[in-house]
Amino acid sequence: MMDVDCRVRGDISSITQCLGDLALPVGRKPMKNGTALKPGTRVMLVRPTKAADIALDLWEEKCRLDIQPVENDEIRLQMAIEEGAGRFSISTLPSIFQGYEIRKAQPDDLIIHDSARDEARILGGLRKDLKFWFRNARNAVSQALTGKDYSR
């Protein structure tokens, strides 16, 4: 399965070599005390197994819940994964199949995401890029002056 605004740029048949009942992108989200892993739903390989059916049924159940504040389908998938622990297997898709945004995609990525909303987020993306650059520069200056990262 993949979002309708994804583009395929080559032969993706090797995606079927991924292990697990589900294969999906797993992103990293920096947290104050480490890093959290978060499942993605932009591109998913779903095997025709009973275990995959269990995972999809749990995900559908979570998507139908009225949870406030409204959460996205990735959060709902995470809830299904937590509830279904041990009942199905998950693997991570190789990066070439993860459907990165065009501006973040590598030349050899086979699936890319051409979001219709991306033009509307150009300033947001620029803000994130500037924030990333500023934090790296701040940390480098702090390291040079004090021998420690800014965060410590």
Side-chain angles (χ1 to χ4, degrees), residues 51-64:
D53 290 344
I54 291 169
L56 294 178
D57 289 344
L58 283 169
W59 186 23
E60 179 183 15
E61 178 186 310
K62 300 304 176 195
C63 286
R64 292 182 185 278

Side-chain angles (χ1 to χ4, degrees), residues 5-151:
D5 50 0
C6 282
R7 283 197 238 164
V8 176
R9 302 195 296 186
D11 180 10
I12 62 168
S13 61
S14 62
I15 196 171
T16 61
Q17 295 173 6
C18 295
L19 303 175
D21 298 304
L22 302 176
L24 45 97
V26 177
R28 295 181 310 270
K29 181 176 181 176
M31 306 293 283
K32 188 173 186 173
N33 295 322
T35 301
L37 297 179
K38 56 179 231 168
T41 59
R42 186 171 289 158
V43 178
M44 295 176 64
L45 174 68
V46 180
R47 297 225 177 262
T49 64
K50 290 184 188 260
D53 290 344
I54 291 169
L56 294 178
D57 289 344
L58 283 169
W59 186 23
E60 179 183 15
E61 178 186 310
K62 300 304 176 195
C63 286
R64 292 182 185 278
L65 294 176
D66 183 23
I67 300 172
Q68 298 300 326
V70 176
E71 296 172 342
N72 60 28
D73 60 323
E74 282 96 355
I75 298 294
R76 305 298 176 106
L77 178 59
Q78 187 174 4
M79 294 166 64
I81 290 169
E82 290 167 2
E83 186 174 318
R87 296 166 63 194
F88 49 86
S89 61
I90 300 171
S91 69
T92 302
L93 282 176
S95 63
I96 60 172
F97 300 121
Q98 290 193 13
Y100 292 114
E101 293 291 342
I102 288 176
R103 62 187 170 87
K104 293 183 179 177
Q106 299 299 312
D108 60 340
D109 287 349
L110 294 175
I111 300 174
I112 59 170
H113 189 240
D114 188 7
S115 177
R117 298 180 304 169
D118 203 30
E119 284 77 22
R121 294 185 305 197
I122 288 173
L123 290 177
L126 177 61
R127 183 184 65 78
K128 283 182 181 177
D129 292 342
L130 287 173
K131 187 176 173 182
F132 176 78
W133 178 86
F134 173 78
R135 285 185 174 167
N136 281 344
R138 179 190 64 196
N139 288 340
V141 168
S142 178
Q143 183 76 32
L145 294 176
T146 66
K148 297 179 184 176
D149 284 340
Y150 179 83
S151 59

